Amino acid sequence: MYILSPSLLSADFTDMGRQIRILEENGAEYLHIDVMDGIFVPNISIGVPVVKSIRKFTELVLDVHLMITQPQRYIEAFAAAGADIINIHYEACDEIDSTLEKIKTLGKKNALTIKPKTNWKDIIPYLNKVDMVLVMSVEPGFGGQSFIEETLENVRGLYSYKKENGLNYDIEIDGGINAENLKKPLEAGANVIVAGSAILGKRDIGQQVRYFKSVMEEYDKK
Ligand code: DX5
Ligand code: ZN
């Protein structure tokens, strides 16, 4: 199952509702929401009140990417605000097991995220406890950066491990994905694609969603 998760970070925030409708109407399944604290990453973005407003407005699956230090402090808040998937960073959390568990207890999907320089093998102990792994293909913090090719090794490793061990976590990739390089993560085994500037940063958002979906559908048939 291949899923598109457009990243809101590239939206025009004065026109967010209309843009979300376009994503829905053209077949996006998830909405990727980047939360930053200015500590774990050198940028600040949006938080709980925005997720709450979006929840009232759309049925899209809210894929919340917490780029915040010690994310265990905010799991309840984002769950209550209406997140469906809560992604925490391996590098940011001292209580990974209990935080992943807490997300599940609250009835949400959990995901563990790794930065480009983290090796996928470091998270092997958690792979039987996650619904999704998020592989960052740029340094987290900003949209519009270039795709780091080497991070495909993390995708390949996670994909082989999942097949060899009969696990079924999704593999999401985030950062620098565009219409030109989209096939690379799909070939490597990713099945959830985040794209910010290549979708919400474009003039015709609907057309971009349809293009991404059409490429992903080819993989669905394989
Ligand atoms: C970066 C964020 C991404 C970002 C991706 O820290 O996690 O989700 O919005 O944007 P693009 O697709 O423009 O690289
Ligand atoms: Zn993200």
Side-chain angles (χ1 to χ4, degrees):
M1 176 68 171
Y2 289 85
I3 293 165
L4 182 61
S5 190
S7 169
L8 195 66
L9 195 60
S10 293
D12 172 354
F13 291 114
T14 63
D15 191 24
M16 193 163 70
R18 190 185 65 87
Q19 296 182 342
I20 292 173
R21 286 286 177 261
I22 296 173
L23 299 176
E24 286 171 342
E25 284 160 9
N26 287 280
E29 294 93 351
Y30 288 6
L31 182 64
H32 186 83
I33 304 178
D34 291 298
V35 177
M36 307 180 188
D37 66 356
I39 297 171
F40 179 63
V41 291
N43 197 8
I44 295 177
S45 55
I46 53 179
V48 175
V50 178
V51 174
K52 205 170 166 186
S53 296
I54 295 173
R55 175 73 298 158
K56 287 187 210 140
F57 184 77
T58 183
E59 305 265 294
L60 287 175
V61 172
L62 303 185
D63 172 27
V64 175
H65 177 191
L66 297 182
M67 284 165 274
I68 64 176
T69 191
Q70 304 307 341
Q72 60 272 32
R73 299 172 298 147
Y74 289 98
I75 302 304
E76 277 101 350
F78 281 101
D84 297 296
I85 304 172
I86 302 182
N87 300 266
I88 61 162
H89 264 269
Y90 166 70
E91 305 85 357
C93 184
D94 290 336
E95 299 164 14
I96 296 178
D97 274 311
S98 59
T99 309
L100 290 172
E101 218 174 282
K102 189 190 247 179
I103 299 170
K104 296 298 287 183
T105 308
L106 292 165
K108 310 296 180 179
K109 286 192 172 178
N110 64 19
L112 191 58
T113 309
I114 52 173
K115 298 210 285 182
K117 291 192 187 97
T118 301
N119 190 299
W120 72 272
K121 289 183 181 154
D122 294 352
I123 62 166
I124 287 178
Y126 308 104
L127 291 176
N128 61 351
K129 300 168 190 149
V130 293
D131 295 307
M132 185 163 81
V133 176
L134 168 51
V135 173
M136 289 303 300
S137 40
V138 299
E139 287 299 332
F142 300 91
Q145 305 180 75
S146 304
F147 182 73
I148 303 171
E149 201 82 27
E150 292 74 30
T151 60
L152 289 173
E153 285 308 315
N154 278 339
V155 177
R156 290 191 195 102
L158 287 160
Y159 183 76
S160 320
Y161 189 89
K162 149 168 139 166
K163 293 291 162 198
E164 283 158 16
N165 294 279
L167 297 171
N168 58 6
Y169 49 82
D170 286 314
I171 303 176
E172 179 172 48
I173 186 148
D174 179 11
I177 313 288
N178 55 41
E180 289 72 46
N181 63 20
L182 169 62
K183 287 191 177 174
K184 290 186 183 180
L186 293 170
E187 292 291 341
N191 70 309
V192 182
I193 302 288
V194 177
S197 48
I199 294 185
L200 282 149
K202 298 283 188 202
R203 196 183 45 82
D204 192 338
I205 296 169
Q207 187 186 48
Q208 298 307 317
V209 172
R210 291 194 304 278
Y211 176 74
F212 271 69
K213 289 294 303 175
S214 71
V215 173
M216 292 162 73
E217 269 155 26
E218 288 170 30
Y219 286 80
D220 249 333
K221 288 180 207 139
K222 280 185 189 171

